[in-house]
Amino acid sequence: MLTVDEITRRIDAHMAQYRQELDELVAIPSVSGLKEHEPDMVRDAEKITEFLALRGLDAQIIQITTDDGRVGRPAVMASRPAEPGKPTVLLYSHHDVQPTGDLAQWDTDPFTTVEKNGRLYGRGAADDKAGILVHLAALAALSDETGVGIRIFFEGEEESGSPTFKDFIEQYKDQLAADVIVVADSSNWRVGTPSLTTSLRGNALVTVRVRTLDHAIHSGMFGGPVADSMTETIRLLSTLWAPDGSLAVEGLNAYDETDIEYPEDDLRSDAGVLGSMRLLGHGSLASRLWTQPSLTVTGIDAPDVEHASNTLWPETQVMLSLRVTPGQDPHEAAHALIRHLQTHAPDGAQVDAQLVEAGPAYQAHMNSDVVQIAHWALKTGFGHDYVDMGVGGSIPFIADFQRMFPSAEVVVTGIEDPDTRAHSQNESLSLSDWRSAMIAEALFIARLGSAVEVD
């Protein structure tokens, strides 16, 4: 029988190794969304298989081809069977990362880890290569002493929307089947305060094309009575929000119900909100983030300021990202948004709105024994009481897991915190939370196998 102290000691004895392994992974620019990084995706997967071999697991690198000819990015899989009467746990993370964005806004080289003030900086240092090392550290600390079956699935295209995920889990259903699925790709409430993610919003991406002319014309000669597409797009977008900043789209679900409150001062600090800016919407701040819909303009096809000219442009296109309340189908929400756009076209402008991609929300089953074990492991591993929290972002593939494995319990944990800046410049990881997450996951797996003493 293992003890909490023994598991902690085993983790601490190898922290230098885990740090070196994380450094090596961050050094590989595994950007799944850019074709030029395809060789790096393979290198990253190969490096992970080496790390798994050190833990006694023989891993495979798999790239599927779908029926319509799409080729998936390299995923890593490995497994170890359960002893009779013991559960099987699937450990999920992803090894691909976001593009760096403007390098001038990074304080350090994004693909060279730098430690400052207890944080490790680098692209993927938190999202989600740290999650991979949490899984590997937990496996190393437990070896095969718990009897729990282990299945590894480290995806290679999460940051690109997991386009072949459904096909992958359908093709490899037998190799992925588990009693418990641990997704290490979320956030904690604060540094030092662990969290279990209880809900995630769904997401729908919608493109909107607004046309007013059949060709570009001189703004001085025709400006005034002739409407340009840019102005009409702005007018159309302005109809989407009420004066208080909440969404004015009919047919979108919303409810003001959350496990905890999000203090306004904390939210302003976490998000870097300028002091002059008011916060949008109504209801509790936590509900505005987790259980109410939100809409963001994430892209505009239009001339930039540097290349602007005195022209009335005939066509403008925007990308809208709609976050959908748990419990509402994202396709239903997207169609409500499209109806609004088409019925509010200003001045007879031609508006074409199309759904590009949709992913469902997630809601945890909070009364299960597995969730109670997760609560104990987080509290014990971090030495601090846990917080159940929603997250405003989306991880649509969790719903695919739930659909494919309806009897499996899904547990969503994280290594990030409000200072992580995932997807942005200067992404970073709290090293103390990283260690605590390793201990917590090892305790969780050991407790599932009834192999650890509980006070």
Side-chain angles (χ1 to χ4, degrees), residues 29-75:
S30 52
V31 182
S32 61
L34 298 177
K35 188 174 181 60
E36 60 265 32
H37 287 292
E38 288 180 356
D40 297 314
M41 292 295 305
V42 175
R43 284 200 303 129
D44 205 49
E46 290 173 342
K47 179 64 69 174
I48 292 168
T49 63
E50 294 176 16
F51 295 163
L52 285 165
L54 294 175
R55 278 82 177 176
L57 291 167
D58 184 16
Q60 295 176 280
I61 299 174
I62 299 172
Q63 288 184 262
I64 70 164
T65 300
T66 64
D67 291 340
D68 58 3
R70 291 173 295 154
V71 179
R73 282 79 162 183

Side-chain angles (χ1 to χ4, degrees), residues 221-412:
M221 295 181 64
F222 293 100
V226 177
D228 67 285
S229 64
M230 184 81 75
T231 300
E232 298 303 88
T233 298
I234 293 169
R235 294 181 63 196
L236 174 61
L237 294 177
S238 70
T239 68
L240 294 168
W241 290 275
D244 69 355
S246 59
L247 283 182
V249 178
E250 292 186 7
L252 297 181
N253 293 350
Y255 56 93
D256 188 357
E257 183 179 321
T258 56
D259 294 312
I260 55 175
E261 183 50 271
Y262 203 136
E264 180 172 343
D265 288 346
D266 289 347
L267 175 57
R268 287 182 173 277
S269 174
D270 294 344
V273 178
L274 297 180
S276 59
M277 293 296 298
R278 68 181 176 92
L279 299 180
L280 304 179
H282 55 264
S284 69
L285 290 177
S287 74
R288 292 184 234 176
L289 291 170
W290 305 335
T291 61
Q292 295 189 39
S294 70
L295 186 66
T296 305
V297 180
T298 58
I300 300 178
D301 287 337
D304 58 32
V305 172
E306 182 180 355
H307 301 98
S309 64
N310 292 319
T311 305
L312 299 181
W313 293 102
E315 181 176 297
T316 299
Q317 183 173 231
V318 300
M319 176 70 82
L320 299 177
S321 176
L322 174 65
R323 300 291 175 169
V324 181
T325 298
Q328 181 166 31
D329 182 273
H331 294 86
E332 173 189 291
H335 291 314
L337 173 60
I338 290 171
R339 283 195 303 272
H340 179 102
L341 293 164
Q342 292 172 337
T343 57
H344 287 76
D347 304 319
Q350 295 180 6
V351 175
D352 178 41
Q354 301 289 334
L355 174 62
V356 177
E357 179 182 305
Y362 162 74
Q363 187 72 53
H365 304 297
M366 297 306 296
N367 295 323
S368 72
D369 291 340
V370 169
V371 167
Q372 303 313 309
I373 292 173
H375 283 157
W376 170 82
L378 288 171
K379 183 175 181 178
T380 306
F382 278 75
H384 192 286
D385 205 4
Y386 61 86
V387 169
D388 288 331
M389 60 178 282
V391 171
S394 308
I395 310 180
F397 62 76
I398 294 178
D400 295 322
F401 272 140
Q402 291 177 314
R403 174 181 56 82
M404 188 64 69
F405 310 111
S407 63
E409 288 276 0
V410 179
V411 174
V412 184

Side-chain angles (χ1 to χ4, degrees), residues 6-24:
E6 175 61 17
I7 289 174
T8 301
R9 186 193 65 77
R10 293 181 184 183
I11 295 287
D12 286 339
H14 296 281
M15 282 304 299
Q17 173 192 341
Y18 304 146
R19 168 62 191 277
Q20 175 61 36
E21 290 173 332
L22 182 56
D23 291 349
E24 292 180 33

